[in-house]
Amino acid sequence: MAGQTETIIAAILGDIEAGTLNPGDGIDEQALALRLGVSRTPLREAMIQLETAGLITRLPRKGAVVFRPTLEEFLAILEVHAKLEGQAAGLAARRLSKEHAESLESVVRACEAHAAEKGDDDPDAYYQLNMRFHEIIAIAAGNPFLLEMIKTNARKLMAYYRARYQYVGAIAASAKEHREIATLIIKRDADAAEKRMARHVQFDQVTAMDLLAVLG
């Protein structure tokens, strides 16, 4: 049953990361069970684990839905997430291996190429590059507990970061900031890398309200 539970969790998380499930969307448990060929018991356990992690919410008469934060919750989660991402960048600057440095340079170049060649087009493809950029830095930090905390928080915010790239100029600005952060990490300027990353992942309140409205 443990294996089936993990399969269900992975499937739901995959749908969230792909944008198939967005904040407030209901999870059709019966359809999910049929799709994955699992029984009710591991499905129930998977829902309990996802609810404990804060990724889904149980609503009366609606069942399980993907967590959709209020403005206050959004800003609170974002505040924590910025600290975690910043800490990862600082640690990565101190612990960066040659392999991770090469991976980081490669994804930053891909971000820059997208911005130069496609501009604001294909924001979903750019978002995948953005996810890879942050993943490389979190892994390079060399702290698996920090990595898991970042992943959990990021999944609560993914839909909003994805929607952010629908705005004109957002991709170009992001690619520029990725280069700045990568340069600081490669230079091993831990304090500056931490502060720059924290600013990079933050939204101002007006932008947060706009994104919540778009996905509301």
Side-chain angles (χ1 to χ4, degrees):
M1 187 180 74
Q4 288 189 340
T5 299
E6 292 303 316
T7 297
I8 297 163
I9 291 173
I12 294 173
L13 294 180
D15 287 345
I16 291 172
E17 291 174 5
T20 306
L21 283 174
N22 285 302
D25 285 353
I27 298 173
D28 188 332
E29 297 183 35
Q30 184 175 0
L32 186 62
L34 288 171
R35 168 183 149 197
L36 299 176
V38 298
S39 65
R40 295 290 301 175
T41 301
L43 183 60
R44 189 162 49 246
E45 176 60 28
M47 292 300 170
I48 290 171
Q49 291 188 31
L50 290 169
E51 186 174 22
T52 300
L55 295 169
I56 68 168
T57 306
R58 293 275 187 180
L59 297 178
R61 297 182 297 278
K62 286 190 176 181
V65 300
V66 178
F67 171 69
R68 182 170 66 190
T70 63
L71 176 61
E72 292 77 11
E73 289 171 333
F74 181 92
L75 293 175
I77 295 167
L78 187 61
E79 184 177 45
V80 172
H81 191 60
K83 291 289 187 182
L84 294 173
E85 290 270 13
Q87 186 177 12
L91 288 173
R94 292 199 292 273
R95 301 172 178 175
L96 191 68
S97 68
K98 180 181 178 182
E99 178 184 357
H100 288 143
E102 291 172 351
S103 296
L104 182 59
E105 176 63 24
S106 176
V107 75
V108 169
R109 286 183 179 178
C111 291
E112 291 173 331
H114 184 115
E117 297 166 12
K118 297 184 178 181
D120 296 316
D121 291 343
D122 204 356
D124 286 342
Y126 182 82
Y127 179 68
Q128 296 302 315
L129 293 174
N130 176 73
M131 286 178 62
R132 180 61 181 151
F133 170 79
H134 287 275
E135 180 185 37
I136 290 168
I137 292 173
I139 293 171
N143 186 319
F145 296 99
L146 178 61
L147 176 61
E148 285 306 310
M149 291 171 69
I150 288 173
K151 284 182 177 180
T152 298
N153 272 283
R155 285 167 179 143
K156 296 175 185 176
L157 300 171
M158 277 180 176
Y160 305 100
Y161 279 112
R162 183 183 289 108
R164 189 183 196 183
Y165 294 121
Q166 304 288 336
Y167 288 69
V168 174
I171 289 174
S174 172
K176 179 177 180 291
E177 291 173 11
H178 286 177
R179 171 57 68 189
E180 292 170 358
I181 293 164
T183 298
L184 292 169
I185 290 173
I186 291 169
K187 286 171 59 179
R188 301 193 180 277
D189 190 339
D191 289 342
E194 181 170 347
K195 291 174 184 175
R196 189 67 190 88
M197 176 65 90
R199 292 201 310 274
H200 171 66
V201 300
Q202 274 284 13
F203 296 142
D204 61 76
Q205 185 165 330
V206 173
T207 302
M209 291 174 68
D210 287 345
L211 291 171
L212 286 169
V214 166
L215 291 170

